[in-house]
Each structure stands twice: as C-alpha cells, then as structure tokens.
Amino acid sequence: MPELPEVETIARRIEPHLVGKKLLRIIVLHTKSVRGDSSLVESAIVAKVSRQAKILVLRFENENALLIHLKMTGQILYQDSVVRLGGGHPTADWVAELPSKHTRAILEFSDDSKVFFNDMRLFGWIKAVDEVEFRQELQKYAPDIISPEITPEFFFAKLQRSRQPVKVVIMDQGVVAGVGNIYANDALHLSKLHPARPANSLSRLESGALLAALQKVIHLGIEKQGATIHSFRHIDGFAGSYQDVVRTYGKDGEPCPNCATPIERTKIGGRGTFFCPQCQPKIF
Ligand SMILES: [Zn+2]
C-alpha cells in the first residue's frame, strides 16, 4: 500500500512536469474510480502538485482541485514523449504499455502528455472538487504526522484517549494522518515499545520518543523516496529504497538491528506486525 512517503515522492516527481500545463480532459475508463464533476478542472491550468495525508492534490489556477487517493493498489504514471515516471503500488504496469487493463482514468494535457491512474483492486479514486469541497474533503483527515500541528502534547493527549494497541492507534488516520504499516513497525522498534501496548499506558516520555521515532522514519522514507517492498525494485523514476534501511517490516526470523535477537511476527488489528521480543518487551 502506498504510504505517506510514497505519495509525497509521487507529488515531487510529477510536479515539475505538470505545473503550467492545461488539463484538456479526464478520460474515464472505469466509472467507480472517478468522482465529482470533471468539468471543474478540465481546461484549467495546473498551479501546484502536493500531498496532504495520503492524498495527492493537483491544484488548478481556477482554485478547483483534483484529489487522488491510491488506497491499496493505485499507481500514478506520468508519460510524455521523453519520460515516464510516477509511483505507487509496484506492478508490471510501471513498465508496461499504457493504458493497461488496470488503467481507470487518463488525464490528457494540452502538450499531449498524460497521467495514467491505474488501480488493480479498485479501492482508489480520483475526484474533482471546487474550493469549498476541497476544504471539506481535507477536513476529514487528521493532521499529518510530520506537520507542526502534531506537538508532543497533542500526540500524548491522543494516545491517552485509547486503550487499543498503540500500533492500531498510530495507524488510525482519524488520529494522525500518514502512518502506514511499514513505518509504524519501524517507529515502535526505534522507540523500543511493544506494538500491543495499550496506547493510554504510555508515559509522557514514551509518547514523546514514539512521536520523534515516527517523524524520523517518515522523513527517512521521504528521503529514500518511499519503499518498494514487493516485486519491482530499482526502476528509475518509480521505485524508492526505504526497504534497504527498513528495521523490522517483513523481517521475521532475521536478526534485530540492535541486539540480533530474531524479529518475531504477529498480527495486530489485522495487520502484519514485526517486533524484537528483546528490545520491545511485553511489559504492561
Ligand atoms: Zn532487539
């Protein structure tokens, strides 16, 4: 699943290619994948490409916007006569002929360049919104884990409100936005906290350490241009390399980077959870 660093990376990669271009039209290949009134952004000029929570945001000069949520298996691939770049869920479509059978929508720009929205499992969406809807849509998401709004006080107060496992709470997008499974596992390891600990059992000190660890791994993820955990690795313009520095995610049986104890795997909140039984003891 593309996480915050992957979406941030896509925004940074495609922005220089889109700003100043006129979006001619949105070709809809699968109606479920495209929401809102496309005419809000058709014939408008792209002003900015950014990310908020895990949403890719194209702002236009007419103040309207196109929001893109990749969910589980979404991809954004920019293509012109010279380059193809983008990112998202790693599959053969990164390098296949486009549109592929997973292409759900195509953004056509006035210079003949295109952005393909591919999505194997159809959970993702693109949505054209006006200024009011834009603000309403983004209000549904809690502040980003790396935004200045998340102070140690704010974060501690959020954890105090729940008895659920701390890993579930930090991944709840209504609590803080942008913490996915890979980075949640690594931040808990870095701050030496057992992932099943009730969130409200963390001390102020532990909560502060966890917040610092989350921000550290997310920034590292952005620096490494995201993670490419699955089949497609090291394809220029698509893949990230966070997987080369990952601490625990997907490493069950391998030695802990701190103490060499084998990493264990369990399930918490339905998600694969990796931890070191030595560094992250189950005392609570
Ligand atoms: Zn360890």
Side-chain angles (χ1 to χ4, degrees), residues 194-263:
H194 193 281
R197 259 185 77 168
N200 65 358
S201 76
L202 268 66
S203 69
R204 214 170 266 274
L205 203 64
E206 289 170 326
S207 165
L210 176 57
L211 176 61
L214 280 164
Q215 293 176 333
K216 183 176 172 174
V217 295
I218 295 278
H219 281 298
L220 183 59
I222 292 171
E223 193 184 304
K224 299 282 178 188
Q225 305 196 328
T228 310
I229 296 288
H230 299 295
S231 46
F232 275 77
R233 298 173 68 106
H234 309 299
I235 300 171
D236 283 351
F238 301 98
S241 61
Y242 182 80
Q243 69 277 7
D244 299 341
V245 294
V246 76
R247 303 177 69 84
T248 57
Y249 182 85
K251 297 214 168 186
D252 39 320
E254 292 181 42
C256 164
N258 295 338
C259 73
T261 303
I263 298 286

Side-chain angles (χ1 to χ4, degrees), residues 21-29 34 37-45 58 60 66 105-116 126 128:
K21 282 187 190 175
K22 184 195 273 189
L23 174 63
L24 285 185
R25 58 185 182 134
I26 300 176
I27 302 169
V28 181
L29 301 178
V34 182
D37 176 5
S38 295
S39 72
L40 288 168
V41 293
E42 284 170 336
S43 299
I45 292 172
L58 273 63
F60 290 82
L66 192 65
I106 305 169
L107 314 185
E108 265 190 2
F109 293 89
S110 53
D111 67 344
D112 221 22
S113 59
K114 295 179 176 67
V115 167
F116 295 86
I126 74 176

Side-chain angles (χ1 to χ4, degrees), residues 189 192 255-263 275-280:
H189 182 263
K192 299 194 156 83
C256 164
N258 295 338
C259 73
T261 303
I263 298 286
F275 66 101
C276 170
Q278 183 72 31
C279 295
Q280 297 165 270

